[in-house]
Amino acid sequence: MEDVRDLKALQLDALREVANIGGGHAATALSQMTNRTIMIAVPEVNVRPLEEVPDLVGAAGEVIAAVLMHMMGDLTGRTLVVFPEASARTRCDILLRRSPGTTREFGEMEQSGLKEAGNILASAYLNALSDFMGMVLVPSVPSLVVDLSGAVLTTAYLNFGHERDFVFCVETSFRVEGSADVLQGHFLLLPDMPSLRAIFDAIRLT
């Protein structure tokens, strides 16, 4: 399947604009949730074969927190929101309104906070894509896994992937007002083959 190689700069710009809109919606929702101003930038949007995704989100031996949801509605597939471990801990401090560096482990409250943050991000990006395509996209209840990057992504690959699958990967940078720290994360959209073709068709019309 050569669709990715056929994408023109203008079409990638359309994807980036969709991602920027989603990031703006997510920033608003997270700011309301934490009562702090949170800014989200989308520095990079990639469409890659599934097997190349581990190279985008970090080394296989690094611990990540990954929020997984199924995408349902007019398109189907999975979404994965990936936070590096340090970034996930800082997010817990922000979400739970703690002093920086307080979170040491991912207990029940921390896991709940990360799932809610992942749900907000995934929903915002899916809503932006839904508006762009004129389709209904609905995320499932989120689940969370904290493990080595290689183990998490291999599991996603084994449970879902085929050798011809492609992933939409949105790199996101979070900044909290009053803090110099920039928190990294990735939103991954893994559409099934019919949904992938529908997205490519919609992009080509731009």
Side-chain angles (χ1 to χ4, degrees):
M1 186 174 181
E2 299 298 317
D3 299 76
V4 172
R5 297 168 184 83
D6 292 341
L7 290 180
K8 305 294 189 295
L10 190 63
Q11 293 160 343
L12 288 173
D13 283 344
L15 279 178
R16 193 171 292 108
E17 181 59 24
V18 171
N20 277 320
I21 291 170
H25 292 165
T28 299
L30 288 170
S31 295
Q32 292 173 343
M33 179 181 176
T34 60
N35 201 29
R36 300 177 68 179
T37 299
I38 295 178
M39 295 150 285
I40 299 180
V42 179
E44 196 68 49
V45 177
N46 288 287
V47 185
R48 295 286 184 85
L50 184 58
E51 62 269 18
E52 294 182 12
V53 169
D55 296 331
L56 295 176
V57 300
E62 293 181 358
V63 175
I64 61 172
V67 182
L68 175 67
M69 283 173 282
H70 295 274
M71 176 177 66
M72 303 173 290
D74 293 329
L75 301 178
T76 53
R78 294 187 181 189
T79 70
L80 202 63
V81 178
V82 178
F83 303 127
E85 182 181 20
S87 179
R89 293 182 190 279
T90 301
R91 276 181 177 78
C92 288
D93 289 339
I94 295 168
L95 293 170
L96 300 174
R97 305 185 184 190
R98 296 170 170 169
S99 300
T102 299
T103 300
R104 297 295 181 186
E105 59 183 25
F106 299 110
E108 187 173 336
M109 286 182 60
E110 290 80 8
Q111 291 182 36
S112 178
L114 288 174
K115 284 192 284 189
E116 182 59 25
N119 182 43
I120 287 172
L121 280 168
S123 296
Y125 286 125
L126 288 181
N127 285 340
L129 183 61
S130 175
D131 291 342
F132 173 73
M133 299 190 65
M135 294 182 174
V136 176
L137 306 179
V138 181
S140 71
V141 174
S143 60
L144 173 72
V145 60
V146 179
D147 204 339
L148 297 178
S149 174
V152 173
L153 295 172
T154 300
T155 300
Y157 183 92
L158 291 176
N159 288 347
F160 178 79
H162 304 284
E163 61 182 14
R164 297 175 64 194
D165 282 337
F166 287 87
V167 178
F168 294 82
C169 180
V170 180
E171 181 184 344
T172 56
S173 296
F174 301 75
R175 188 187 297 274
V176 180
E177 187 178 36
S179 172
D181 294 334
V182 177
L183 308 178
Q184 301 296 330
H186 290 84
F187 168 75
L188 307 179
L189 174 63
L190 297 78
D192 60 22
M193 189 58 71
S195 299
L196 176 68
R197 293 188 183 281
I199 294 171
F200 279 135
D201 287 344
I203 293 169
R204 287 201 184 90
L205 295 176
T206 61

